[in-house]
Amino acid sequence: MFKKLTFGQYTYKNSIIHKLDPRIKIITVVLLSATAFLMNSYYKFAVFSLFIFLLMILSKINFSSLLRNLRPFFFMFLFILLMYIFFSRNELDQGIRTIWKFILFIIIASILTFTTTITNMVSAIEKLLIPLKMIKINPRTIAVLIALTIRFVPSLFLYADRIRDARLARLGNLKTPKQIKLLFLPLIERVFKSASNLSDAMLSRNYTEKRTTYFNIIRLKYYDYISLSLLLMFILFILRVV
Amino acid sequence: MIQIKNLYFKYEDELVLNNINLRLNDSSYTAIIGANGSGKTTLAKHLNALLLPTKGTVIVDEIDTKKDQFNVRKNVGFIFQSPEDQLVHSIVEEDIAFGLENIGIETDAIKNKVRTILRLLNIEYLAKKNVNMISAGQKQLTALAGVLVMEPKYIVFDEPTTTLDNKNKRNIMGIIAKLNKKDKIGIILVTNLLSDIKYAENVVVMGEGKIIFNDKKSKLNKSILKKAGLDV
Ligand SMILES: Nc1ncnc2c1ncn2[C@@H]1O[C@H](COP(=O)(O)OP(=O)(O)O)[C@@H](O)[C@H]1O
Ligand SMILES: [Mg+2]
């Protein structure tokens, strides 16, 4: 169960996509998703899909785990398709395109999560948010918030499980609203307790918003600049030329 | 040396610490034992400025906790009761580095220190593991590593064994004793279990916000423990 809940699907492979700076990868995901959103002709779709396929190959991504990421969306796709079939059959091709766009989004996001560690992802977000300093928002605060979310969501499920098991042992089942309340109140109480413990723990380790040093350093290399330029050229090509 | 003088502490209206006077010497090993609700955690949190006195003073190596929290916390590490709630990052080595980033240690030095601590505690194999996938004992060791890496002069342990099984309990108690004997770190061990005070040289017994005994462990007797409401 924890395997499912633990964030990050990163698996180490020796690929050029793995080696890319995480900032470049995040920017790429944003740009490619926007491009996918703007595309309309089948021809563009074909070229774009081919490009994504190429990225998949380059990142040595595991196809079966990619399919696993797509599986939860299967019914949504089916639903969209059926809606088009029943209500506007003449626009069916648009439905197919919508689904195809979705699939592309998921693949693009998966390439990022499969090739980037949580650590690097959070570092990259912190660096990308540095401009926010101008409006007095500290990027470290946001990075720590994200790190804490990633860290504590699985714990939340763990607490819920423990409380449910304890309740089940005493009450037999959990069906009525009152019993559900008995499940949630202790959970909320536990979460607040955790938050207070955690804030003590962070303070006792001298947490401040301002920091000057990093355990994890990310540096842009030539290779990152070249990749970004190639990407921009490709996007221009897709949107203007094809 | 940590010196507590005429310390009173109130949560809202409830007086939780009632005129505490205590001296903890460098490299000493003191157990603070008392029943639930006797004020142990509240007292412990004063040692690294997580709580500040309502009245009285707490002085850590000449620094008043009211005046300079940053340096007090650098000197006094704190291990909390629940290891689950004190790990900030998802990856073990990154969590260990958290405090060092906070106090502005350079990257190379951080990496070296983290590596050294992992080796010291024999948990190199945990370095890249996800905190959500490791056992309670391993979480406790990770929390300890995150504190040790800051090279504190004193470490406060608040009921460090409550979430652990017997094997992990023995392991952590052994490590604490060694940190005191070998590395000369001053230990303050807060507990409500008599079995936990095995390695301590001094014992402080608390009852209802007061110190009712403070001496060498050998002087401790059953009537004092009974008075503190502890099972003997
Ligand atoms: N955050 C708080 N707010 C109000 N009262 C508290 C708080 N924490 C502890 N107390 C009260 O202070 C007393 C001592 O608690 P504590 O120091 O946690 O004792 P111990 O660690 O010995 O079990 C208890 O009566 C408890 O209810
Ligand atoms: Mg306590």
Side-chain angles (χ1 to χ4, degrees):
Chain A
M1 163 164 188
F2 286 113
K3 280 223 161 54
K4 237 188 335 192
L5 288 171
T6 303
F7 283 81
Q9 303 171 294
Y10 175 81
T11 28
Y12 175 76
K13 296 265 171 66
N14 186 11
S15 88
I16 55 170
I17 306 288
H18 280 72
K19 288 196 189 100
L20 267 177
D21 187 287
R23 279 166 290 188
I24 301 290
K25 283 191 267 194
I26 291 176
I27 293 171
T28 305
V29 168
V30 173
L31 291 178
L32 285 180
S33 304
T35 313
F37 188 73
L38 293 170
M39 290 184 310
N40 37 34
S41 79
Y42 274 114
Y43 193 48
K44 285 184 180 177
F45 261 92
V47 179
F48 189 83
S49 305
L50 207 66
F51 181 70
I52 299 299
F53 187 71
L54 183 75
L55 290 183
M56 275 166 62
I57 304 280
L58 284 177
S59 61
K60 302 190 180 166
I61 195 167
N62 183 333
F63 279 80
S64 63
S65 24
L66 189 62
L67 281 179
R68 212 175 317 134
N69 276 2
L70 284 167
R71 203 184 316 155
F73 298 94
F74 176 76
F75 283 104
M76 192 183 85
F77 297 152
L78 198 66
F79 179 73
I80 295 174
L81 204 61
L82 288 177
M83 290 300 271
Y84 273 101
I85 289 174
F86 286 126
F87 298 112
S88 52
R89 190 164 298 185
N90 44 351
E91 288 171 17
L92 188 59
D93 65 315
Q94 187 171 350
I96 292 172
R97 257 180 301 182
T98 309
I99 293 171
W100 192 236
K101 271 184 194 177
F102 252 109
I103 295 177
L104 287 171
F105 285 143
I106 295 163
I107 295 177
I108 292 167
S110 302
I111 294 177
L112 174 69
T113 56
F114 278 117
T115 62
T116 317
T117 59
I118 303 171
T119 311
N120 277 338
M121 201 94 86
V122 176
S123 299
I125 292 169
E126 183 171 352
K127 285 285 161 83
L128 288 171
L129 292 179
I130 281 178
L132 285 184
K133 271 186 177 162
M134 283 189 299
I135 52 167
K136 297 266 188 289
I137 295 176
N138 193 301
R140 185 176 197 208
T141 311
I142 296 171
V144 167
L145 273 177
I146 295 170
L148 286 176
T149 309
I150 294 170
R151 158 78 188 81
F152 277 94
V153 165
S155 300
L156 202 66
F157 282 92
L158 182 72
Y159 302 151
D161 261 10
R162 273 191 208 146
I163 292 167
R164 197 197 51 211
D165 289 350
R167 294 285 144 174
L168 277 177
R170 267 188 289 167
L171 300 172
N173 64 6
L174 291 167
K175 294 249 164 59
T176 68
K178 183 152 175 268
Q179 287 163 340
I180 306 248
K181 200 176 102 192
L182 284 176
L183 177 70
F184 273 98
L185 286 184
L187 181 62
I188 289 169
E189 209 175 297
R190 186 69 189 78
V191 168
F192 276 103
K193 186 91 190 87
S194 271
S196 139
N197 289 343
L198 181 74
S199 100
D200 276 347
M202 287 171 69
L203 282 177
S204 78
R205 290 162 81 188
N206 266 325
Y207 172 74
T208 57
E209 287 196 324
K210 300 173 229 62
R211 67 150 162 195
T212 46
T213 60
Y214 299 83
F215 171 64
N216 186 46
I217 287 196
I218 45 179
R219 268 200 206 91
L220 289 165
K221 295 151 294 223
Y222 275 122
Y223 163 67
D224 293 303
Y225 292 111
I226 295 167
S227 309
L228 189 59
S229 327
L230 287 176
L231 177 77
L232 291 174
M233 271 151 63
F234 170 75
I235 288 173
L236 219 62
F237 172 72
I238 277 277
L239 294 180
R240 288 272 161 256
V241 187
V242 184
Chain B
M1 186 178 71
I2 300 179
Q3 180 105 38
I4 301 172
K5 279 191 197 145
N6 306 324
L7 165 63
Y8 292 81
F9 183 78
K10 274 187 187 165
Y11 283 113
E12 280 115 48
D13 280 337
E14 188 193 352
L15 186 65
V16 177
L17 296 178
N18 189 349
N19 196 15
I20 303 283
N21 286 283
L22 187 60
R23 207 176 91 179
L24 302 163
N25 288 327
D26 293 7
S27 313
S28 61
Y29 189 148
T30 307
I32 299 179
I33 188 165
N36 268 332
S38 57
K40 304 179 301 290
T41 299
T42 307
L43 175 60
K45 283 185 179 173
H46 277 81
L47 301 178
N48 82 339
L50 283 175
L51 292 175
L52 299 172
T54 309
K55 221 171 89 192
T57 51
V58 177
I59 314 262
V60 177
D61 288 339
E62 258 126 71
I63 308 168
D64 187 329
T65 56
K66 275 190 176 146
K67 301 218 170 90
D68 180 1
Q69 282 91 14
F70 180 84
N71 281 305
V72 166
R73 287 174 187 155
K74 248 168 93 173
N75 277 336
V76 185
F78 204 114
I79 298 289
F80 294 81
Q81 194 166 349
S82 154
E84 180 67 30
D85 292 345
Q86 55 191 309
L87 305 175
V88 178
H89 284 294
S90 300
I91 306 297
V92 168
E93 60 173 2
E94 208 187 329
D95 185 78
I96 298 172
F98 176 73
L100 295 174
E101 289 180 323
N102 292 335
I103 61 171
I105 306 288
E106 292 302 329
T107 306
D108 290 338
I110 296 182
K111 299 226 147 131
N112 278 330
K113 283 174 193 279
V114 170
R115 211 173 305 126
T116 310
I117 291 298
L118 286 167
R119 207 175 310 128
L120 181 80
L121 293 177
N122 251 321
I123 50 170
E124 287 134 306
Y125 68 101
L126 288 180
K128 308 271 181 204
K129 287 250 163 69
N130 191 311
V131 164
N132 292 303
M133 316 264 269
I134 64 180
S135 71
Q138 291 169 332
K139 281 178 192 167
Q140 188 67 283
L141 289 176
T142 305
L144 179 56
V147 166
L148 277 180
V149 83
M150 312 276 280
E151 294 163 19
K153 212 169 142 189
Y154 313 89
I155 303 180
V156 181
F157 292 86
D158 192 0
E159 303 193 21
T161 61
T162 35
T163 59
L164 305 181
D165 60 20
N166 282 326
K167 184 168 159 272
N168 281 311
K169 244 181 220 182
R170 271 198 306 276
N171 184 31
I172 194 95
M173 294 314 283
I175 290 171
I176 295 173
K178 204 171 125 200
L179 290 173
N180 178 248
K181 277 251 144 41
K182 195 162 151 278
D183 305 295
K184 302 282 174 247
I185 297 176
I187 303 291
I188 297 100
L189 179 83
V190 172
T191 182
N192 58 10
L193 302 171
L194 270 177
S195 56
D196 277 358
I197 67 174
K198 189 162 92 184
Y199 297 106
E201 31 172 344
N202 305 311
V203 177
V204 171
V205 181
M206 285 192 72
E208 293 170 359
K210 289 189 179 146
I211 291 184
I212 54 182
F213 172 91
N214 174 17
D215 210 329
K216 294 264 170 272
K217 191 176 61 187
S218 51
K219 300 259 176 68
L220 191 61
N221 61 46
K222 279 190 182 169
S223 73
I224 294 163
L225 294 169
K226 281 224 179 77
K227 202 173 143 203
L230 291 159
D231 300 330
V232 206

